[in-house]
Every structure is written in C-alpha cells, then in structure tokens.
Amino acid sequence: IPFAVSIILLAFSVYIRLKLEESPVFLKIKSEGKISKAPLTESFARWGNAKIVLLALLGATAGQGVVWYTGQFYALFFLTITLKLDFKSAYTLIAISLVIGTPFFIFFGWLSDKIGRKKIIMAGCLLAICTYFPLFKALTHYVNPQLEAATAKTPITMAARDCNFHIFVGPWSKFTDCDKAKDFLTKQGISFTSTDLATGGADSVVTKIGDVELKGFDAKTYAEALKAAGYPPTADKSQVDWVMTELIIVIMVLYVTMVYGPIAAFLVELFPARIRYTSMSLPYHIGNGWFGGMLPLLATAMVAASGDIYYGLWYPIVVAAMTLVLGTLFLKETKNEKVRVDL
C-alpha cells in the first residue's frame, strides 16, 4: 500500500510540474538570451550575491528549518519516545494538527503579501524561541502526568565517568556503561542529574533512583528500580488530556505555517531572475536539510548528555534566535521589491 500511494503521489507531482509555466520575467530574459551561462560562479563567487545567499541561509531558512522540524517531527518523537504515547495515537494527533494547520500556509502566504514576508517569518521564530520550553513541558503534563509526578517525587542522580557524546551511531561507536545508562534513561523519558564520578573504583557509573543505588549498568535492574519508584513504562491513555494535547501541537504547527508560508516568495524576490534558482537552492536545502534535518540527532544526543528531557530544545531555540537576529538586522523586506534580472 505505501508503494502504491507513493506511485500515485509521484505521478501527481509530475503532472503538476509539467503543467507549470516559467515566470514572465524568466521567459523574457530567456527570449533575449540573458540567461546566465555560469550560474554557480555568479551565485557564489561574486561577494555581492554570495553575501545574500549566506544571509538567506542564516537569517531565514535555518530558523525556518528548525521550527518546521520541531513542530512536525520532534514533537512526534517526543510524544512516542519520551512520553511513551502509543504510535497510533501520536500519529493521529500530528495528522489532525496538520489538517487544521494546512490552510494557514495559504493564510500566512497571503498575509505576507499585505504586511511583508520578513515580519511573519521573524515573528514565527520569536514565538518558537519564547514558548518551546513551556509548550513541551505542557505536553508532559497533559500526555503523561504519571511521568511528571514520578520525576517530582523520585529524582534520579547519576555519577559517571568515561561518557561520550554520540550523534552518528554506527559500528564504530563505543558505548561505555555511562553511555548505556544515559541512553536507557533517556529512552524512558526520564530526566536525571548528571555529575562526574571520581576516578578509581570498578564501576564507571553509579545511579541513585530515590534511595536505591545502582552500580554499573544492567537494563533489567534499572527497569525494576524505575517500576518500583513509580515511573510508568507507557503513557496511560485514560489520563491523557486529548484536547489540550492537540491544542499544543496545533500551536506548534501554526509556527511552522508562519515561517514556511512566506519563505518561497521571500527567496524568489531576494535574488535576481537570471541566477535565482541556483542562488536560492543552497540556502533552502541546507537550511531545511542540514539545520532542520540534524535536529532529531542533535537534540537526542543533547538530552542524553545533559540528563534533561527538554535540553534538546536548546538546538532549535538557538538556531531560531540566530535567524531572528541576523534576519531582522541584515535582510531586507522584499514584498515591494521589483524582480531584478541582473545582479
């Protein structure tokens, strides 16, 4: 079934692309023979345009990328991996939020025609910066209140040494007892206080779950101690506040629509027509593919290293803050700009 659906979507996308026409400005310069013969050189080797490419990346698409990935993907991972909500319920919540949010892509695109592209993109970044921590903490409260209560009642501390920061995991990765213990607790959605363990002694990690002290790492022993301390293995669906959970996810999807709705027009208007496609491709794809795509990996590694289930949010917040500052200070509003042909 997934393969059949993919074929249908592919055919539909090809049909749409074949029906699309080039813009009047491009058709005009094409008929006049003014299309760039060396778009890569003109886009990236000339500082005047390369500077705009760099600003478009750091001052627009990087922030747009992390806000998008946080609202649609990291929220899903947080629901399923951290809060232990079952996959069907989590995917249903995300699907409903996307259905509700989809019209707002069009709305904020339309609004950007009226008040400006940059204002809306920067407002979306600012809202994300200010509210991600309270929104994700609210998700914990409404989705898995048992986890929230157990964390407050029975704090966990870990003293360890020989800990590593893992981002790209593969056959080359070496996992110490510290790494295994942190990974185990992180995947249970549990926050813990991490300190350095003094050198010496046979064990490289000592974990306290309430009054119980565990030396070394054994998954079964950890699981039994967590269960005895009242940490839930899964979210109890009877205790989930579905309405508030959906509302929180919709809010984050609205941030996505704010940064994504105007971005296409913003990038198109930012570069001259003769090298537009080449110039806008780099900031768009790096902003979304690298800055956005790295979010799950980096956020998960940051959570494991810190012991705080919310610590990974610092990655999208810092990137969005960078975009807010650079975009506000150095990128111009393009709404009323006449499309340029040359540099």
Side-chain angles (χ1 to χ4, degrees), residues 14-223:
V14 170
Y15 172 79
I16 292 176
R17 182 66 188 90
L18 292 174
K19 290 296 182 181
L20 288 176
E21 296 182 358
E22 297 290 355
S23 66
V25 172
F26 184 81
L27 291 175
K28 183 175 184 296
I29 64 174
K30 183 178 180 180
S31 66
E32 296 173 352
K34 295 181 179 180
I35 297 176
S36 175
K37 299 296 189 296
L40 288 173
T41 301
E42 290 188 34
S43 295
F44 309 125
R46 298 183 182 180
W47 175 240
N49 197 73
K51 179 177 66 175
I52 302 175
V53 170
L54 188 60
L55 285 174
L57 169 60
L58 302 179
T61 60
Q64 170 254 307
V66 296
V67 171
W68 173 27
Y69 270 73
T70 302
Q72 288 188 225
F73 301 111
Y74 192 62
L76 177 63
F77 299 153
F78 191 80
L79 288 172
T80 56
I81 297 175
T82 304
L83 300 184
K84 299 300 178 184
L85 186 64
D86 66 284
F87 275 68
K88 183 178 179 180
S89 297
Y91 276 86
T92 300
L93 288 167
I94 295 294
I96 293 172
S97 71
L98 292 176
V99 171
I100 295 172
T102 295
F104 287 90
F105 286 103
I106 301 172
F107 170 75
F108 283 114
W110 168 83
L111 187 61
S112 75
D113 289 336
K114 305 297 181 182
I115 67 173
R117 330 294 188 194
K118 194 173 82 167
K119 292 185 181 70
I120 298 174
I121 295 172
M122 297 307 141
C125 288
L126 179 61
L127 287 170
I129 293 165
C130 296
T131 63
Y132 271 163
F133 275 113
L135 285 175
F136 276 83
K137 289 180 179 180
L139 277 180
T140 302
H141 177 75
Y142 291 116
V143 174
N144 199 334
Q146 288 180 305
L147 176 63
E148 183 183 47
T151 302
K153 180 182 178 182
T154 309
I156 297 176
T157 60
M158 179 187 295
R161 62 174 180 267
D162 300 328
C163 304
N164 301 302
F165 186 75
H166 294 282
I167 299 178
F168 301 103
V169 177
W172 58 84
S173 303
K174 178 184 178 182
F175 288 91
T176 63
D177 279 351
C178 170
D179 301 331
K180 294 175 183 177
K182 286 188 173 184
D183 180 67
F184 181 85
L185 292 176
T186 298
K187 288 180 177 177
Q188 304 308 307
I190 295 172
S191 290
F192 55 91
T193 302
S194 183
T195 60
D196 292 330
L197 182 66
T199 56
D203 300 302
S204 60
V205 57
V206 178
T207 302
K208 288 187 177 181
I209 304 176
D211 296 328
V212 178
E213 183 175 271
L214 306 175
K215 295 185 178 181
F217 174 73
D218 177 73
K220 183 179 179 181
T221 303
Y222 269 59

Side-chain angles (χ1 to χ4, degrees), residues 184-336:
F184 181 85
L185 292 176
T186 298
K187 288 180 177 177
Q188 304 308 307
I190 295 172
S191 290
F192 55 91
T193 302
S194 183
T195 60
D196 292 330
L197 182 66
T199 56
D203 300 302
S204 60
V205 57
V206 178
T207 302
K208 288 187 177 181
I209 304 176
D211 296 328
V212 178
E213 183 175 271
L214 306 175
K215 295 185 178 181
F217 174 73
D218 177 73
K220 183 179 179 181
T221 303
Y222 269 59
E224 291 173 350
L226 290 173
K227 183 178 180 180
Y231 282 92
T234 60
D236 184 349
K237 292 174 66 174
S238 66
Q239 294 191 24
V240 177
D241 189 326
W242 300 103
V243 174
M244 289 304 299
T245 301
E246 185 61 56
L247 177 61
I248 293 167
I249 299 172
V250 167
I251 290 172
M252 287 193 282
V253 169
L254 289 180
Y255 297 167
V256 176
T257 65
M258 291 180 70
V259 298
Y260 201 83
I263 197 69
F266 185 68
L267 292 176
V268 165
E269 295 163 346
L270 202 58
F271 298 102
R274 58 185 281 116
I275 56 168
R276 178 190 299 151
Y277 189 81
T278 303
S279 295
M280 65 181 285
S281 291
L282 186 141
Y284 179 80
H285 289 100
I286 291 182
N288 287 276
W290 291 11
F291 282 91
M294 285 293 292
L295 192 153
L297 288 172
L298 280 173
T300 300
M302 291 167 66
V303 168
S306 66
D308 181 353
I309 61 174
Y310 306 109
Y311 195 78
L313 292 171
W314 279 114
Y315 173 69
I317 286 174
V318 169
V319 174
M322 173 190 69
T323 289
L324 177 64
V325 173
L326 295 180
T328 300
L329 294 179
F330 300 110
L331 279 177
K332 63 181 180 179
E333 176 56 62
T334 63
K335 176 177 73 76
N336 296 319

